C-alpha cells in the first residue's frame, strides 16, 4: 500500500485472524486517537477493572475504596469523561478489558 509516494506498512497479521485487515498503523493511530487519549489517562484502566469484575453497578464509594491513590476530583472527572464518551455503557469494552487483564496477569507472573 502506498500513500503520497511512501509505502505504508500493514499491521502484522496474527494467525490470519486479525480483524484489522486492510488497515495500516498510521490510519489506526488517527482513527483511535480520541479513545486512546482517554483510556491512557492516569487511572482510567484502574477504573475499568472494577466494572469488569461485577455485573452490578459500581458505586462511587466502591471506586474511592479501591482507588486510594486518586483524589476525589480526579476520580469524578475521569468517570464523567468515561460516561460522556459512552464507554461505561459498552458491553464489548468489558470483554476487551478482561482479555487485556488476562494478558497482564500472564506476563506479571514472569
Amino acid at each position: 500500500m502506498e500513500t503520497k509516494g511512501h509505502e505504508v506498512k500493514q499491521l502484522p497479521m496474527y494467525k490470519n485472524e486479525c480483524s484489522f485487515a486492510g488497515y495500516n498503523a498510521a490510519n489506526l493511530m488517527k482513527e483511535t486517537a480520541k479513545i486512546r487519549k482517554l483510556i491512557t489517562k492516569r487511572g482510567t484502566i484502574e477504573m475499568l477493572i472494577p466494572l469488569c469484575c461485577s455485573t452490578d453497578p459500581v458505586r462511587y464509594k466502591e471506586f474511592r475504596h479501591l482507588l486510594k491513590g486518586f483524589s476525589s476530583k480526579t476520580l469524578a472527572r475521569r468517570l464523567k469523561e468515561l460516561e460522556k464518551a459512552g464507554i461505561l455503557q459498552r458491553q464489548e469494552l468489558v470483554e476487551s478489558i478482561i482479555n487485556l487483564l488476562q494478558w497482564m496477569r500472564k506476563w506479571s507472573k514472569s
Side-chain angles (χ1 to χ4, degrees):
M1 172 180 266
E2 290 190 25
T3 305
K4 297 181 183 177
H6 299 287
E7 184 179 331
V8 179
K9 294 183 179 181
Q10 297 291 323
L11 286 175
M13 301 299 281
Y14 180 72
K15 296 182 183 178
N16 295 323
E17 296 174 4
C18 182
S19 61
F20 294 111
Y23 281 82
N24 63 51
N27 286 345
L28 282 173
M29 294 295 284
K30 184 177 179 181
E31 291 171 6
T32 62
K34 183 179 176 182
I35 194 74
R36 281 185 299 106
K37 184 176 179 181
L38 176 58
I39 295 296
T40 58
K41 284 185 176 181
R42 181 178 181 267
T44 302
I45 294 292
E46 289 85 348
M47 289 177 189
L48 296 176
I49 292 171
L51 295 172
C52 296
C53 294
S54 174
T55 56
D56 297 327
V58 180
R59 303 287 180 221
Y60 182 81
K61 187 176 180 179
E62 293 174 68
F63 282 115
R64 289 291 309 137
H65 176 73
L66 292 169
L67 305 171
K68 295 187 185 282
F70 299 94
S71 70
S72 294
K73 184 177 177 180
T74 299
L75 179 58
R77 183 183 316 125
R78 200 70 71 241
L79 286 169
K80 286 179 186 175
E81 290 171 339
L82 291 168
E83 184 177 33
K84 182 178 178 183
I87 291 173
L88 298 179
Q89 300 168 0
R90 296 182 185 163
Q91 184 63 34
E92 68 270 14
L93 174 69
V94 172
E95 293 175 19
S96 299
I97 295 298
I98 288 173
N99 288 332
L100 177 61
L101 290 172
Q102 289 173 340
W103 177 82
M104 291 168 75
R105 287 180 75 194
K106 174 185 172 184
W107 290 102
S108 294
K109 294 176 184 177
S110 302

